Amino acid sequence: MIGDNFRALCELAEDHWHQGFILCLLMPVSDYTKSKTGHRPPADILNLNHWLQSYAPDIHAEIADYYTALVDEKGMLREGYSDTACIPTHVDLN
């Protein structure tokens, strides 16, 4: 499980970095520009994000919630935020 990889990284961070750390929730993907949900199912992203949120208090980590900031009403990365459907690109907010 990917959670085991996150757990191992967090254990390394706890052992070697004594300043605290931040876990970042995974961002949504979209099919607006090209299909990404077949390789990265939205349900899997949600499940891992829920796991990260429940794990963070156990290790005294903060959470950066990029998912909520970037998800649309369909559960996809908001249209216009990425040319690749999974990596955000510069967005002019003016």
Side-chain angles (χ1 to χ4, degrees):
M1 177 182 164
I2 292 175
D4 293 332
N5 294 335
F6 275 100
R7 190 177 288 114
L9 288 169
C10 291
E11 288 172 5
L12 285 170
E14 284 181 310
D15 290 344
H16 300 285
W17 182 256
H18 304 288
Q19 302 295 318
F21 52 96
I22 299 169
L23 294 176
C24 300
L25 299 186
L26 282 80
M27 297 185 309
V29 296
S30 78
D31 289 336
Y32 296 133
T33 56
K34 56 173 84 167
S35 181
K36 289 294 182 181
T37 57
H39 291 59
R40 296 176 181 90
D44 290 355
I45 292 171
L46 276 175
N47 288 337
L48 185 54
N49 282 346
H50 290 303
W51 182 85
L52 286 168
Q53 287 176 312
S54 67
Y55 180 60
D58 295 344
I59 58 171
H60 310 289
E62 298 293 325
I63 288 283
D65 186 358
Y66 295 112
Y67 184 89
T68 300
L70 294 172
V71 72
D72 69 9
E73 66 280 349
K74 296 177 186 174
M76 303 275 187
L77 179 64
R78 290 185 194 174
E79 192 168 9
Y81 275 80
S82 175
D83 296 333
T84 66
C86 63
I87 300 171
T89 54
H90 174 73
V91 176
D92 186 4
L93 299 176
N94 293 323

